[in-house]
Amino acid sequence: MGSLARTRLVAGGAALVTIGAGLGIRGVGSGGGDVVKYGGDALYTVLVYALVVLVAPRVRALVAGGVALGVSWAVELFQLTDVPGELAARSVVARLVLGSTFNAPDLLWYAVGALDAGLGHAGVVRWRRGAGNPPGAPGAAGAASAPGAPGVPGVRRGVAGGRSPGP
């Protein structure tokens, strides 16, 4: 499987897990509360982020986060009009996607979701490129292929990637 297909598969899976988590916290916390409300806001942006990566698998974390945050804020600001409230009264899907009433603290929690998704995405990208491996491990960024450390005569890499005296 190619890298783009794998990225899309992971992004699609992340979107499904995020939808499940969002519906799950709504079901468990049906009495309301800040964790349910604001957790749902953050998850909304995580979902938008996953959809951005699904559509554009080569997108950088900062760009995907910015797009997800912009879409989330646009939907929240759209709630300042009567349109989302009217649509939400007629459709459960419209209520889940567009919300119904503006709430300024939601804007902060959308940023939390974008930051969380962006950090996770950047971490996965870094790990897949080998930077998550200890220095000197096979596939690690900057790992020396020869026993000697580049530019340092008489020093070789140790077991855990630390430096040890030469032979």
Side-chain angles (χ1 to χ4, degrees):
M1 178 183 308
S3 177
L4 293 179
R6 189 176 322 120
T7 300
R8 282 192 166 113
L9 183 65
V10 170
L16 292 175
V17 167
T18 304
I19 290 169
L23 294 174
I25 66 168
R26 286 179 61 88
V28 169
S30 58
D34 289 345
V35 171
V36 173
K37 167 120 184 65
Y38 298 124
D41 291 342
L43 286 171
Y44 182 90
T45 304
V46 171
L47 173 61
V48 174
Y49 188 105
L51 295 175
V52 168
V53 174
L54 182 67
V55 170
R58 289 188 175 125
V59 69
R60 292 181 180 217
L62 185 61
V63 173
V67 169
L69 184 58
V71 168
S72 298
W73 281 356
V75 168
E76 187 68 27
L77 293 173
F78 186 47
Q79 294 171 4
L80 289 169
T81 70
D82 293 335
V83 176
E86 292 173 10
L87 293 172
R90 297 183 194 145
S91 167
V92 173
V93 174
R95 187 175 71 237
L96 291 172
V97 173
L98 298 176
S100 58
T101 55
F102 177 80
N103 184 26
D106 291 353
L107 299 171
L108 169 69
W109 290 99
Y110 293 136
V112 169
L115 180 64
D116 186 42
L119 289 173
H121 181 197
V124 167
V125 167
R126 184 176 176 170
W127 175 76
R128 286 180 60 193
R129 288 187 180 152
N133 296 329
S145 57
V152 184
V155 176
R156 63 182 175 87
R157 295 208 177 256
V159 176
R163 302 208 180 237
S164 60

